[in-house]
């Protein structure tokens, strides 16, 4: 029976997080993993290359060695283990799960803020500070998206909350009330 990507990511991400925590290297591991994630985003063909049956295993292993060369032993061991168990295609998901656990441990919340026009820096800081209190977080990292369809106001969405203060949603509420 095949295991799905989410299960693999959860298992490996959780194990990696626990080992990094035991070794007191959470921040360093997170930094390394995010550098790898950025490299994967720049080279989307990497996973195809590493999983292709047409590519010689020695060439793949040499590529992996060069990737793991500057990494800590923990991250290098992860890369080798994923390669050996044919799970290198799950690397990005595993990094995502590790980051989710790392954020939860540090009480960091990532949220998307949608506005009709771009926010100024002080507005983003005030919004993040207010949302941090609501989420009981130490820090809120906002991913800003401009969406003219909301007309005005703010839509803020985290993993656990959605706050819709857009003018569009207010119009829709009024419309529903009028149609009753």
């Amino acid at each position: 029976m095949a295991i799905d990507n989410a299960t693999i990511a959860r298992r490996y991400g959780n194990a990696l997080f626990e080992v990094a925590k035991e070794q007191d290297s959470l921040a360093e591991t997170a930094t390394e993993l995010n550098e790898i994630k950025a490299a994967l985003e720049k080279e989307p063909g990497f996973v195809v290359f590493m999983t292709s049956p047409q590519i010689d295993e020695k060439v793949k292993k040499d590529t992996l060695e060069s990737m793991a060369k500057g990494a800590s032993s923990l991250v290098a061991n992860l890369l080798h283990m994923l390669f050996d168990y044919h799970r290198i295609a799950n690397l990005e998901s595993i990094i995502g799960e590790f980051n989710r656990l790392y954020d939860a441990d540090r009480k960091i919340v990532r949220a998307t803020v949608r506005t009709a026009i771009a926010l100024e820096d002080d507005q983003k800081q005030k919004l993040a500070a207010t949302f941090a209190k609501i989420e009981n977080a130490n820090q809120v990292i906002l991913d800003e998206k401009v969406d003219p369809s909301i007309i005005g106001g703010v839509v803020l969405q985290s993993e656990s909350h959605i706050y819709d203060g857009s003018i569009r949603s207010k119009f829709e509420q009024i419309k529903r009330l009028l149609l009753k």
Side-chain angles (χ1 to χ4, degrees):
M1 176 165 75
I3 301 174
D4 68 339
N5 188 36
T7 303
I8 292 167
R10 241 184 341 270
R11 288 180 183 175
Y12 282 82
N14 194 359
L16 181 63
F17 178 81
E18 292 300 323
V19 172
K21 194 171 188 172
E22 285 173 14
Q23 294 179 357
D24 197 29
S25 65
L26 279 173
E28 297 84 7
T29 303
T31 300
E32 279 186 79
L33 291 174
N34 286 317
E35 288 172 2
I36 292 171
K37 184 178 180 184
L40 291 174
E41 289 169 356
K42 285 182 184 173
E43 290 295 332
F46 174 78
V47 172
V48 174
F49 173 82
M50 294 299 285
T51 58
S52 173
Q54 287 83 19
I55 307 294
D56 183 56
E57 289 296 309
K58 170 102 173 80
V59 174
K60 292 181 196 179
K61 195 80 163 166
D62 290 344
T63 302
L64 186 74
E65 287 300 325
S66 67
M67 190 174 169
K69 191 174 187 178
S72 66
S73 62
L74 180 60
V75 172
N77 288 342
L78 171 72
L79 293 172
H80 288 109
M81 182 173 57
L82 292 177
F83 180 77
D84 292 343
Y85 290 125
H86 305 286
R87 301 229 188 270
I88 201 77
N90 304 106
L91 179 58
E92 200 166 349
S93 299
I94 292 166
I95 293 171
E97 179 65 12
F98 177 91
N99 284 336
R100 188 188 69 73
L101 294 167
Y102 180 73
D103 286 351
D105 186 65
R106 297 284 185 255
K107 294 184 99 176
I108 297 171
V109 172
R110 295 182 188 273
T112 302
V113 60
R114 289 186 308 140
T115 56
I117 58 171
L119 294 172
E120 294 179 15
D121 287 340
D122 64 323
Q123 291 173 315
K124 281 192 271 189
Q125 289 173 352
K126 287 178 186 175
L127 192 59
T130 302
F131 197 55
K133 290 177 187 171
I134 292 168
E135 289 275 351
N136 193 24
N138 292 335
Q139 179 184 6
V140 171
I141 298 171
L142 294 176
D143 177 25
E144 184 179 7
K145 303 229 185 290
V146 176
D147 180 2
S149 73
I150 68 170
I151 304 169
V154 174
V155 177
L156 197 57
Q157 181 176 355
S158 70
E159 195 173 285
S160 59
H161 292 94
I162 297 176
Y163 294 96
D164 189 345
S166 67
I167 292 175
R168 179 179 172 187
S169 70
K170 302 296 183 207
F171 283 158
E172 288 176 9
Q173 284 177 334
I174 292 169
K175 183 178 172 183
R176 280 193 303 270
L177 288 172
L178 290 173
L179 292 174
K180 277 189 175 182

